Amino acid sequence: MTEFLPGLEGVAATKSAISFIDGEKGILSYRGYPLETLAANSTFEETTLLLLEGELPTDTSLKSFVKDLRAHYRTKYHIREMMRHFPATGHPMDMLQTAVSSLGMFYPGTECLTDANSCEDIDYVRNMTVNIIAQMAPLVAMWEHMRQGYDPVEPRSDLSVAENLLYMFTGQEPDPLMARIMDVCLILHAEHTLNASTFAALVAGSTLASPYAVISAAIGTLSGPLHGGANQMVVGMLKEIGAPDKVEAWVDHKLANKEVIWGMGHREYKVKDPRAKILHKLVEKLVQERGGHLDQMFETALKLEEVCADRLGHKGVYPNVDFYSGILYSEMGIPEDQFTALFAVARSAGWLAHWREQIANNRIYRPTQIYIGSEQREYVPISKRGAKP
Ligand code: COA
């Protein structure tokens, strides 16, 4: 008998060697390496290669990968021209999804994705992977200027993905502390087992669609507020609450109205998300160094975490990755509606790692359903259909 489990909770839809979550203990590891270790020691580029290839790279292979990425920061002229015609009010996630899917028209070669068991053209897979990961951050930063009617800042091939992202956003030499924080944020968001957007990538990938179509499907899926879109909502929520002494009444009102508290809860974690713990510490570090207006928002967030632990802790609802990331991005001067796009920049690494795993051992996704509609019935010509009472 076929059992329906809403949200496919607990249903294994693939086998994967890329990342691992223990939701009871609050553990997340990439290829066997605890996230905390990677956040403390690695870079986004090295972590990306680890996710893609399965092993920490040698010095030579990392240097070659970094060189390749930097050589592909620049986006095609036609894509830039196309972006100039997007409405300035367009959401960055819609821009990113459109730009990435359009890029696919410039990079043919999907005919190598023909075999159900493996892709024979390793170069195609590698080149497209590099091309997509390299262009995600520049596209997001370019849009920030273009939607305001300015020319985008040109990328710099002497900068890392995180540094170049900040540079292209601000047009200024990236602050080393902010660049390191951005780099850690990219590591933390790079991969997270079979979440909704990664599943969307797998489904699209299983049809042997182009990697641009795969990543475009994933970006669209990430954009929803129950997934990546929550980080944008958190800062708005903290601003709406305003101050720590307003938190209790605000939470009780929301819960009484059966509304969600943004940045809280996760399908996998029943304790505080390990990524939220690392981000929490990064905010503390920044508060020590910078202080200022960050204090008020951070103190409100701390109080909110405390009140939610009291009201929702028994349901296993604690801060997730989106709870503290927005505070950091705000401090970097990044507008709220760009937060989810930054999530997508990082997650492109995980999506492509899963795409590669999928096409290496592919079978098209085709689940089943439980039909709950009518029995077979007669077609009644429109002239003979009575008006509904
Ligand atoms: N605020 C208030 N209550 C919440 C909550 C939240 N953020 N998250 C979960 N709960 C409650 C649910 O209402 C439910 O209560 P009930 O058992 O009394 O009905 C219980 O906790 C279990 O939650 P459920 O909705 O079954 O969890 P899920 O696994 O289907 O959903 C999320 C997970 C992430 C979609 C959900 O926690 C959520 O909407 N969070 C806010 C959005 C967010 O931050 N998303 C980013 C995820 S990284």
Side-chain angles (χ1 to χ4, degrees), residues 231-245:
N231 57 8
Q232 176 180 344
M233 310 300 277
V234 170
V235 168
M237 174 183 76
L238 293 174
K239 283 182 182 162
E240 183 190 317
I241 298 172
D245 63 333

Side-chain angles (χ1 to χ4, degrees), residues 9 192 224-231 234 255 258-268 270 273 275 308 312 314-317 320-323 343:
E9 182 168 3
H192 206 230
L226 294 188
H227 192 6
N231 57 8
V234 170
L255 295 182
K258 305 237 171 288
E259 289 180 52
V260 293
I261 315 293
W262 300 109
M264 289 283 162
H266 198 281
R267 174 67 58 81
E268 293 289 324
K270 300 303 159 214
D273 184 330
R275 300 166 299 173
C308 285
L312 294 167
H314 66 285
K315 295 183 181 178
V317 175
N320 61 47
V321 67
D322 294 320
F323 193 69
F343 192 154

Side-chain angles (χ1 to χ4, degrees), residues 203-233:
V203 174
S206 80
T207 71
L208 303 183
S210 90
Y212 297 90
V214 168
I215 300 306
S216 157
I219 293 169
T221 310
L222 184 71
S223 68
L226 294 188
H227 192 6
N231 57 8
Q232 176 180 344
M233 310 300 277

Side-chain angles (χ1 to χ4, degrees), residues 13-14 16 18-19 189-206 214-215 217-219 221-222 227 343 347-355 357-358 365:
T14 194
S16 177
I18 300 171
S19 62
H189 288 85
E191 160 63 10
H192 206 230
T193 74
L194 202 56
N195 51 82
S197 57
T198 303
F199 187 43
L202 285 197
V203 174
S206 80
V214 168
I215 300 306
I219 293 169
T221 310
L222 184 71
H227 192 6
F343 192 154
R347 189 55 62 82
S348 62
W351 290 331
L352 286 159
H354 281 273
W355 170 65
E357 199 172 57
Q358 178 66 33
Y365 274 95

Side-chain angles (χ1 to χ4, degrees), residues 79 82 86 97-107 212 216:
I79 297 287
M82 181 183 76
F86 290 168
Q97 186 180 25
T98 310
V100 169
S101 77
S102 308
L103 269 174
M105 288 186 265
F106 294 92
Y107 299 97
Y212 297 90
S216 157

